[in-house]
Amino acid sequence: MKWLGAIILVIATTCIGLYFSIRFEKRPQHIRQLESALQLLEAEITYSQTPLQLAFQTISRQLPHPISHFFQSLSEAMLKQEIDFNVIWNEKTEELRKMTSLKKNEIEVLKQFGNSLGQHDFIQQQKQIRLALTHLDRELEEARDESYKYSNLARSLGVLTGIFIVLLLL
């Protein structure tokens, strides 16, 4: 019976290590998806001159899940609610943070970008998008470094922590 408990404990800590490892590996992927979304938004605003609500719908159809859900929910909230766009943007950005592996820095870049969205002419808006992309590029490099450093470490620590606890309890 002790051995069954020991095996379950090692499996549980290994799963926890894998969870953190996956979060480290997904962060660069989510940042790249955000960059793609902003580039699509730039094209929709600058070249097609599409209204924001329709641009968000178009973007949501072209991207994978967490980011597509963000833009789809923005589009739906703009149709339903009669409140300030910045409030909607900040609310949906917080929801995005919970659904993805994005950290506070990426969310802050998004929030700052959202505060300027729709408030300028096309050229100024394009500059704001480029600025957000520059910040996200910097965060992407940091995320890649962290993923490289800490992904394997998290997996190994999960297994080793389980083994250590089992050894202490036996």
Side-chain angles (χ1 to χ4, degrees):
M1 202 51 134
K2 280 185 179 180
W3 290 108
L4 181 61
I7 291 171
I8 290 173
L9 184 67
V10 170
I11 290 173
T13 57
T14 301
C15 288
I16 292 170
L18 286 173
Y19 170 77
F20 284 107
S21 173
I22 289 170
R23 285 191 59 91
F24 279 118
E25 291 171 357
K26 289 240 181 224
R27 184 172 169 229
Q29 178 184 0
H30 290 153
I31 295 173
R32 281 192 305 272
Q33 290 173 359
L34 262 181
E35 286 180 334
S36 296
L38 291 181
Q39 289 167 347
L40 289 169
L41 184 62
E42 178 183 15
E44 289 292 326
I45 290 174
T46 306
Y47 304 112
S48 302
Q49 297 182 357
T50 307
L52 279 179
Q53 190 268 330
L54 293 175
F56 292 156
Q57 275 184 350
T58 303
I59 292 168
S60 72
R61 284 186 241 122
Q62 297 176 14
L63 295 171
H65 170 59
I67 307 301
S68 68
H69 178 74
F70 170 68
F71 283 101
Q72 182 64 36
S73 63
L74 272 172
S75 175
E76 291 169 0
M78 288 177 73
L79 283 176
K80 293 178 187 173
Q81 299 176 357
E82 294 289 328
I83 56 177
D84 186 31
F85 175 74
N86 288 336
V87 173
I88 295 172
W89 181 269
N90 289 333
E91 176 185 308
K92 298 302 177 184
T93 305
E94 283 302 315
E95 287 177 17
L96 179 68
R97 182 184 61 79
K98 293 174 186 171
M99 292 183 341
T100 62
S101 298
L102 297 175
K103 288 192 174 178
K104 187 177 179 180
N105 292 343
E106 293 92 22
I107 297 301
E108 282 303 314
V109 168
L110 272 180
K111 284 183 178 182
Q112 289 174 2
F113 170 70
N115 289 335
S116 68
L117 193 58
Q119 308 224 350
H120 302 287
D121 63 353
F122 296 122
I123 295 169
Q124 286 297 93
Q125 196 63 62
Q126 188 175 26
K127 288 179 183 178
Q128 291 294 325
I129 292 171
R130 296 288 174 174
L131 179 63
L133 285 171
T134 302
H135 288 298
L136 286 175
D137 278 338
R138 185 187 67 225
E139 294 300 326
L140 179 60
E141 287 303 314
E142 179 186 319
R144 284 181 179 152
D145 290 344
E146 281 185 10
S147 175
Y148 179 74
K149 288 179 187 175
Y150 300 122
S151 180
N152 289 333
L153 179 67
R155 271 192 296 263
S156 301
L157 262 175
V159 174
L160 293 175
T161 301
I163 293 171
F164 178 71
I165 292 172
V166 167
L167 289 174
L168 282 178
L169 294 176
L170 290 179

